[in-house]
């Protein structure tokens, strides 16, 4: 095999009080896609930040094409051929794609330091075309481009530095399911051009589809590097978690339908068109659709965040839900998809966060009953196994999984009848995922009716009693207990007409 | 934490730094200006800080909630002049006071309606009100001051009880009352919550609109109260009353440790911030330092105090 383009030897990184990385070795060859995996906090992002020049390692050596290098900052790393594409795009929405690509590039300047627009557009277009983004007009403002196109622009921008090494951090996170394939095509092209790609992702399926090799980190140490053909999903999880996670999903036995708790008729607004469904007591009903298919809109409507037409009935009585406060009155709870922005108040304590929705019930004559608040908070800390020394700790210090448990806990404290969960395990590591799945399962067993909205197909399939598939705002299919598999689900959600023998 | 800090038996928190600063200012002027460290002077200072102090109460809450109210000075003048006109029109003085307070509440309601209900930017709305109301004040009374109020009314701003000014006692009571609200009630919890993450509060089934509306209503009410106390203290309702008072109020709030981006702050901090700026002003006055230099010094103090606040 050829010489490695990049070697990292014995990389260690210490932050005050924490060893983030300990003696990690990493090798990367030209034209390979090398997946980097590990639970949250395993050290993936620290390693990538060292590689891209954000942090300096405490110990260890980085060699690029055999020569030892020290990256003083990300720009220096880029100029030497190491570029990173972050999970969140760093594009200026009001500038054109070309401007975004060349914003920090002096070489595009023409005479007298004036900007040579024609040269910039020409080179930008060439670069974008070369990685298979032929349909994209680089003169367009970025905000008018779709997510996939924006990602192509990010990749092109990274490549404009003549990158030998490209780090892609959760590249599929921002993409709708059907655009992931397009991104893979771009990656394949880069591979063919000899670019070495570090692919950081949580998604197993993608790793097996695109990666040649995989390196697993755990607790700041390298566990192993393997060819992708040598590993299975199970063995990877074992390496990441350090123990066997035999059962990610609890077994949900088939149940007779009980009484209807929530009845929705002809709900319409924005992305949803005349949607009707029923949720039964103790049921987990999965709603699945590609982004923009309307499942998020339905959740917003049911929680009073958006207004629209249609009828909603709870326990047989028609209701109006005009605000989250009214939804809460009707015992509807909503665990929103964006935990950081909508679920928690980071600087505040676990206790304050848990008590927030029910402060009214905890007030006596205008004054908050601190004893009751403490009791409730500690009850949910125990019940949900929120890992923290005490409940006065700020939620900012918790891991993603524990933060998510706080969001679930604060709604359980409101004693809901209907729980809407949207992306309940986004950014949560495998261990905590299993715990959250068990909690959801238990809640349903105890009679809570749950509407589960998720873009992770295994999650929807593993947890739901029934699954309703949305396509462009309409229900196109219902899977009964145990009927769905990933392929069927995706087919129905992408283009229901392709499914044969099915009159939709 | 530095080694020095570790040796201290307590954590050197912000409040402590502020109290030390206050102490230093008092010590400094005690040596420099002989009249400074006297009961009479202190009580005079307290008497004169009440208007700024009253408005600083809702201002602290509003800044904690992540907003801003620049219209307080104009509301103060508008309320004062409304009260004056009502009195001149033959209304009983106490009913006139109520007219003034209602005027303030109405202004606060307009601010609150636009900012909370229509989600307009607080700074923009309150600058609009600042300019508009000040104009309205001149239009209403053609810039003519109103005076000749009955003696009973001057009690509010000029009476001393056991040597302590009545209005300062009132201010202290208000501070304690609202401190209780902020620390012990759910309204206070909502205000801190909104300042830290408005969306989460909304998603928790709590009316952000109502909370914000109440805050601006309170701001209107307290500005009007400050107007009433000012008229009582100076015995005259003038169109220029309260001009630029918002700058002192905001300075005191920020020096008191309230975070300009919201989410953090306390009324006790604001109270110390108030004392710092009034004693500094008073001491510099006694030393004969010109008002212009006083502004320079206060400005620098503000920059140092807020310089460490980052988003």
């Amino acid at each position: 095999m050829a010489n490695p383009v990049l070697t990292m030897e014995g990389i260690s990184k210490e932050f005050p009080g924490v060893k983030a990385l300990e003696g990690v070795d990493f090798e990367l060859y030209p034209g390979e896609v090398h997946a980097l995996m590990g639970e949250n906090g395993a050290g993936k992002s620290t390693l990538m930040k060292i590689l891209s020049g954000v942090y300096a390692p405490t110990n260890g050596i980085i060699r690029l094409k055999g020569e030892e290098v020290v990256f003083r900052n990300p720009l220096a790393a880029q100029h030497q051929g190491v570029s990173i594409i972050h999970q969140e795009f760093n594009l200026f929405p009001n500038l054109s794609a070309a401007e975004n690509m060349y914003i920090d590039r002096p070489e595009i300047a023409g005479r007298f330091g004036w900007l040579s627009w024609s040269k910039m557009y020409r080179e930008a277009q060439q670069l974008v075309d070369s990685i298979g983004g032929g349909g994209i007009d680089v003169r367009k403002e970025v905000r008018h481009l779709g997510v996939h196109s924006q990602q192509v622009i990010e990749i092109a921008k990274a490549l404009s530095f003549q990158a030998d090494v490209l780090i892609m951090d959760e590249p599929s996170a921002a993409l709708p399911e059907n655009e992931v394939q397009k991104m893979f095509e771009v990656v394949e092209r880069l591979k063919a051009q000899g670019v070495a790609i570090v692919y950081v992702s949580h998604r197993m399926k993608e790793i097996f589809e695109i990666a040649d090799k995989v390196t697993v980190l755990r607790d700041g140490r390298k566990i192993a590097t393997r060819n992708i053909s040598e590993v299975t999903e199970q063995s990877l999880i074992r390496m990441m978690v350090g123990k066997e996670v035999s059962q990610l999903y609890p077994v949900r036995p088939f149940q007779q339908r009980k009484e209807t708790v929530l009845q929705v008729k002809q709900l319409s607004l924005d992305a949803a068109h005349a949607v009707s469904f029923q949720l039964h007591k103790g049921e987990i009903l999965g709603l699945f659709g590609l982004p923009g298919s309307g499942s998020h809109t339905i959740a917003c409507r049911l929680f009073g965040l958006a207004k629209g037409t249609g009828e909603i009935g709870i326990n047989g009585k028609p209701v109006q839900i005009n605000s989250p406060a009214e939804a809460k009155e009707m015992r509807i709870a909503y665990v929103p998809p964006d935990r950081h922005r909508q679920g928690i108040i980071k600087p505040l304590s676990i206790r304050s966060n848990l008590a927030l929705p029910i402060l009214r019930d905890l007030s006596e004559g205008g004054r908050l009953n601190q004893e009751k608040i403490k009791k409730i908070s500690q009850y949910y800390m125990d019940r949900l196994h929120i890992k923290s020394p005490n409940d006065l700790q700020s939620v900012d210090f918790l891991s993603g999984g524990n933060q998510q448990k706080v969001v679930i806990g604060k709604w359980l404290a409101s004693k809901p009848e209907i729980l809407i969960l949207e992306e309940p395990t986004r950014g949560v590591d495998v261990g905590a995922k299993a715990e959250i799945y068990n909690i959801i399962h238990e809640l349903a067993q105890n009679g809570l009716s749950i509407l589960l909205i998720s873009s992770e197909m295994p999650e929807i399939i593993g947890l739901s009693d029934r699954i309703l598939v949305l396509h462009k705002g309409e229900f196109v299919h219902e899977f009964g207990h145990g009927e769905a598999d990933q392929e069927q689900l995706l087919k129905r959600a992408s283009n229901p007409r392709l499914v044969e023998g099915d009159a939709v | 934490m530095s080694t020095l800090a570790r040796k201290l038996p307590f954590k050197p928190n912000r409040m402590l730094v502020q109290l030390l600063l206050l102490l230093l200012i008092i010590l400094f002027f005690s040596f420099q200006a002989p009249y400074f460290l006297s009961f009479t002077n202190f009580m005079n200072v307290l008497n004169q800080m009440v208007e700024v102090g009253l408005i600083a109460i809702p201002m602290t809450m509003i800044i904690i909630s992540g907003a801003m109210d620049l219209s307080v000075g104009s509301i103060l003048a508008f309320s004062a002049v409304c009260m004056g006109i009502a009195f001149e029109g033959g209304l009983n003085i106490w009913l006139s006071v109520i007219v003034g307070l209602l005027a303030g509440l109405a202004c606060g309601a307009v601010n609150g309606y636009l900012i909370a209900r229509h989600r307009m930017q607080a700074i923009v709305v309150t600058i609009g009100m600042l300019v508009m109301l000040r104009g309205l004040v001149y239009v209403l009374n053609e810039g003519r001051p109103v005076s000749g109020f009955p003696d009973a009314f001057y009690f509010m701003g000029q009476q001393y009880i056991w040597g302590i000014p009545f209005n300062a006692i009132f201010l202290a009571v208000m501070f304690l009352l609202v401190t209780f609200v902020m620390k012990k009630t759910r309204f206070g919890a909502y205000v801190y919550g909104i300042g830290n993450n408005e969306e989460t509060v909304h998603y928790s089934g709590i009316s952000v609109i109502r909370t914000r509306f109440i805050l601006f209503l309170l701001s209107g009410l307290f500005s009007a109260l400050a107007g009433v106390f000012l008229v009582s203290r100076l015995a005259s309702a003038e169109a220029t009353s309260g001009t630029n008072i918002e700058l002192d109020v905001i300075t005191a709030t920020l020096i008191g440790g309230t975070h300009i981006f919201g989410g953090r702050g306390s009324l006790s901090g604001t109270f110390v911030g108030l004392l710092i700026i009034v004693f500094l002003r008073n001491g510099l006055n006694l030393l004969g330092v010109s008002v212009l230099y006083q502004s320079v010094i206060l400005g620098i103090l503000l920059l140092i105090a807020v310089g460490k606040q980052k988003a």
Side-chain angles (χ1 to χ4, degrees):
Chain A
M1 193 177 253
N3 290 326
V5 58
L6 171 90
T7 4
M8 297 175 89
E9 289 167 24
I11 301 288
S12 297
K13 177 70 187 173
E14 282 174 40
F15 295 105
V18 207
K19 270 193 174 170
L21 288 175
E22 250 189 296
V24 172
D25 299 327
F26 187 73
E27 270 188 351
L28 194 61
Y29 291 88
E32 78 172 358
V33 177
H34 196 137
L36 189 62
M37 298 197 80
E39 292 195 279
N40 290 338
K44 287 173 306 196
S45 50
T46 310
L47 188 66
M48 288 307 104
K49 278 179 178 162
I50 287 172
L51 181 53
S52 59
V54 178
Y55 297 148
T58 314
N59 267 312
I61 298 169
I62 303 175
R63 284 182 218 278
L64 204 57
K65 294 178 205 155
E67 272 176 58
E68 193 174 329
V69 286
V70 176
F71 299 136
R72 245 175 251 107
N73 53 51
L75 199 63
Q78 278 185 336
H79 281 292
Q80 297 193 56
V82 179
S83 284
I84 182 162
I85 301 167
H86 294 282
Q87 190 171 345
E88 271 108 40
F89 301 154
N90 289 314
L91 296 175
F92 301 100
N94 294 325
L95 296 184
S96 72
E99 282 170 285
N100 265 289
M101 289 166 63
Y102 286 98
I103 192 144
D104 47 0
R105 307 302 293 279
E107 55 269 38
I108 209 69
R111 242 173 300 171
F112 312 121
W114 291 9
L115 196 59
S116 167
W117 288 89
S118 54
K119 186 176 165 201
M120 182 170 84
Y121 285 136
R122 196 172 56 240
E123 292 193 3
Q125 193 71 57
Q126 265 174 12
L127 203 57
V128 170
D129 291 351
S130 77
I131 56 171
I136 302 169
D137 180 2
V138 296
R139 290 158 195 265
K140 253 195 185 167
E141 282 177 27
V142 162
R143 66 195 158 98
H144 296 306
L145 298 175
V147 250
H148 170 69
S149 304
Q150 290 189 19
Q151 192 171 45
V152 170
I153 299 302
E154 279 273 14
I155 296 173
K157 180 179 178 180
L159 291 177
S160 68
F161 287 91
Q162 256 80 54
D164 301 308
V165 175
L166 184 64
I167 305 162
M168 303 178 83
D169 186 9
E170 298 278 357
S172 61
L175 294 180
E177 197 81 33
N178 50 342
E179 301 219 318
V180 174
Q181 283 307 327
K182 286 197 220 161
M183 186 260 295
F184 283 170
E185 284 164 25
V186 174
V187 172
E188 291 291 348
R189 245 174 226 262
L190 296 178
K191 242 178 96 167
Q193 290 169 19
V195 180
I197 294 156
V198 184
Y199 193 95
V200 183
S201 178
H202 272 103
R203 302 194 180 178
M204 288 284 176
K205 193 173 141 250
E206 286 171 20
I207 301 291
F208 284 97
E209 208 167 317
I210 193 81
D212 303 304
K213 271 190 208 155
V214 56
T215 290
V216 177
L217 296 181
R218 183 173 77 228
D219 300 332
R221 291 162 199 272
K222 181 168 119 172
I223 300 304
T225 297
R226 297 263 192 281
N227 285 322
I228 205 73
S229 53
E230 297 166 8
V231 291
T232 62
E233 200 165 312
Q234 275 300 313
S235 70
L236 271 181
I237 291 180
R238 201 161 44 233
M239 283 193 267
M240 282 162 61
V241 183
K243 56 177 191 249
E244 194 86 28
V245 179
S246 53
Q247 197 75 46
L248 195 52
Y249 300 99
V251 180
R252 284 193 64 75
F254 176 76
Q255 290 174 350
Q256 283 301 323
R257 271 182 208 169
K258 297 183 186 145
E259 66 268 30
T260 304
V261 173
L262 173 73
Q263 172 123 32
V264 172
K265 267 190 213 153
Q266 299 289 317
L267 208 77
S268 289
L269 80 154
D270 300 341
H273 309 301
V275 167
S276 303
F277 66 92
Q278 295 179 344
L279 177 65
H280 305 98
K281 189 170 171 61
E283 178 185 44
I284 302 179
L285 175 62
L287 290 190
F288 181 79
L290 302 176
S293 63
S295 47
H296 175 66
T297 318
I298 293 171
C300 287
R301 174 75 174 90
L302 290 177
F303 194 61
L305 289 159
K307 295 191 176 97
T309 59
E311 290 168 31
I312 301 171
I314 293 176
N315 293 326
K317 268 181 258 161
V319 292
Q320 295 289 326
I321 307 171
N322 296 314
S323 69
E326 287 183 28
K328 192 166 73 179
E329 290 285 299
M330 288 157 204
R331 304 234 163 280
I332 299 176
Y334 177 43
V335 173
D338 189 338
R339 161 171 80 244
H340 300 285
R341 281 177 48 211
Q342 302 154 345
I344 52 174
I345 300 179
K346 277 191 194 172
L348 299 190
S349 67
I350 298 172
R351 186 185 294 181
S352 307
N353 271 282
L354 281 172
L356 186 62
I358 51 162
L359 285 180
R360 185 196 295 247
D361 307 326
L362 299 170
S363 301
E364 282 162 7
R367 190 189 172 124
L368 291 171
N369 185 332
Q370 297 297 341
E371 271 308 303
K372 268 194 195 167
I373 293 180
K374 188 175 163 189
K375 244 189 216 160
I376 286 188
S377 151
Q378 274 160 2
Y379 174 76
Y380 285 101
M381 285 267 292
D382 291 346
R383 164 104 198 266
L384 303 176
H385 307 291
I386 295 169
K387 285 179 206 95
S388 170
N390 61 59
D391 66 343
L392 294 177
Q393 184 98 40
S394 146
V395 287
D396 207 6
F397 297 127
L398 300 181
S399 69
N402 281 304
Q403 287 179 347
Q404 191 66 17
K405 288 185 203 166
V406 171
V407 184
I408 295 174
K410 84 177 199 187
W411 281 115
L412 293 187
S414 77
K415 303 254 183 300
E417 252 186 280
I418 298 163
L419 176 63
I420 306 168
L421 295 164
E422 188 164 353
E423 306 295 351
T425 62
R426 181 177 279 175
V428 167
D429 57 43
V430 183
K433 261 188 184 177
E435 273 188 85
I436 289 176
Y437 293 150
N438 264 313
I439 293 167
I440 296 173
H441 168 67
E442 259 180 53
L443 291 170
Q445 292 304 99
N446 292 334
L448 186 61
S449 311
I450 296 174
L451 196 62
L452 174 67
I453 299 168
S454 173
S455 57
E456 283 191 39
M457 287 187 287
E459 182 170 292
I460 284 266
I461 294 168
L463 279 175
S464 308
D465 298 318
R466 277 192 301 146
I467 301 170
L468 292 171
V469 182
L470 275 159
H471 177 74
K472 294 193 176 163
E474 287 169 36
F475 283 126
V476 291
H477 193 76
E478 175 174 338
F479 289 103
H481 185 262
E483 283 175 10
D485 62 44
Q486 294 207 20
E487 197 185 339
Q488 282 295 316
L489 200 54
L490 190 56
K491 260 191 199 157
R492 304 269 178 183
S494 324
N495 193 346
R497 281 188 205 92
L498 286 183
V499 184
E500 283 170 46
D502 195 79
V504 180
Chain B
M1 207 177 283
S2 72
T3 42
L4 174 76
R6 213 174 294 140
K7 276 182 201 147
L8 293 171
F10 42 75
K11 244 165 83 188
N13 65 13
R14 218 189 157 100
M15 190 65 167
L16 200 77
V17 175
Q18 286 155 7
L19 285 171
L20 272 176
L21 181 63
L22 180 61
L23 199 69
L24 276 177
I25 287 170
I26 291 177
L27 275 177
F28 176 78
F29 287 117
S30 303
F31 286 111
Q32 296 294 315
Y35 176 69
F36 180 81
L37 192 64
S38 66
F39 186 73
T40 328
N41 182 47
F42 270 38
M43 288 308 128
N44 274 337
V45 169
L46 292 185
N47 181 245
Q48 285 159 23
M49 75 179 248
V50 168
E51 293 85 29
V52 175
L54 280 173
I55 301 176
I57 292 173
M59 186 69 82
T60 303
M61 300 163 86
I62 284 180
I63 295 180
I64 290 174
S65 82
M68 181 58 79
D69 187 351
L70 298 176
S71 64
V72 288
S74 296
I75 296 181
L76 182 156
F78 181 70
S79 307
V81 167
C82 281
M83 179 182 86
I85 291 172
F87 178 70
E88 275 190 333
L91 215 57
N92 168 296
I93 179 65
W94 300 113
L95 288 177
S96 308
V97 166
I98 291 175
V99 168
L101 297 183
L102 287 177
L105 275 173
C107 297
V110 172
N111 276 336
Y113 176 72
L114 294 175
I115 295 163
R117 186 76 191 77
H118 291 282
R119 304 184 60 83
M120 286 172 70
Q121 278 295 317
I123 290 198
V124 178
V125 170
T126 56
I127 284 183
M129 286 292 274
L130 164 99
V131 176
M132 191 189 84
L133 285 175
R134 187 63 70 184
L136 204 58
V137 166
Y138 282 93
V139 171
L140 274 180
N141 216 22
E142 290 140 1
R144 195 172 44 81
V146 183
S147 51
F149 297 100
D151 283 350
F153 173 63
Y154 297 136
F155 175 87
M156 293 176 74
Q158 299 179 13
Q159 189 67 41
Y160 283 57
I161 301 172
W162 302 304
I164 303 169
F166 168 76
N167 61 357
I169 297 173
F170 181 82
L171 177 68
V173 171
M174 283 297 141
F175 256 96
L176 289 175
L177 193 74
V178 182
T179 301
F180 173 83
V181 169
M182 287 300 277
K183 292 211 146 127
K184 301 286 182 196
T185 71
R186 66 172 189 273
F187 182 77
Y190 294 166
V191 172
Y192 279 101
I194 289 172
N196 278 302
N197 188 341
E198 178 176 343
E199 211 171 339
T200 293
V201 174
H202 179 55
Y203 273 73
S204 298
I206 292 154
S207 174
V208 174
I209 294 176
R210 181 163 59 197
T211 309
R212 281 208 186 287
F213 185 78
I214 292 173
L215 284 176
F216 281 95
L217 218 51
L218 280 177
S219 188
L221 179 65
F222 274 82
S223 302
L225 263 178
V228 172
F229 273 99
L230 184 72
V231 172
S232 172
R233 182 161 68 85
L234 303 178
S236 160
E238 293 175 27
T240 54
S241 305
T243 307
N244 289 345
I245 198 174
E246 64 278 0
L247 299 179
D248 272 5
V249 171
I250 294 170
T251 306
T253 307
L254 296 182
I255 288 178
T258 296
H259 212 279
I260 187 72
F261 298 107
R264 276 176 279 171
S266 67
L267 282 165
S268 49
T270 297
F271 196 76
V272 178
L274 273 170
L275 293 178
I276 288 175
I277 68 165
V278 292
F279 278 118
L280 192 65
R281 276 246 160 93
N282 173 250
L284 292 169
N285 271 334
L286 291 178
L287 289 183
V289 176
S290 108
V291 178
L292 303 176
Y293 280 110
Q294 291 182 22
S295 297
V296 174
I297 293 171
L298 264 178
I300 292 172
L301 190 63
L302 178 67
L303 290 180
I304 294 171
V306 187
K308 282 189 186 153
Q309 296 185 1
K310 304 218 168 66

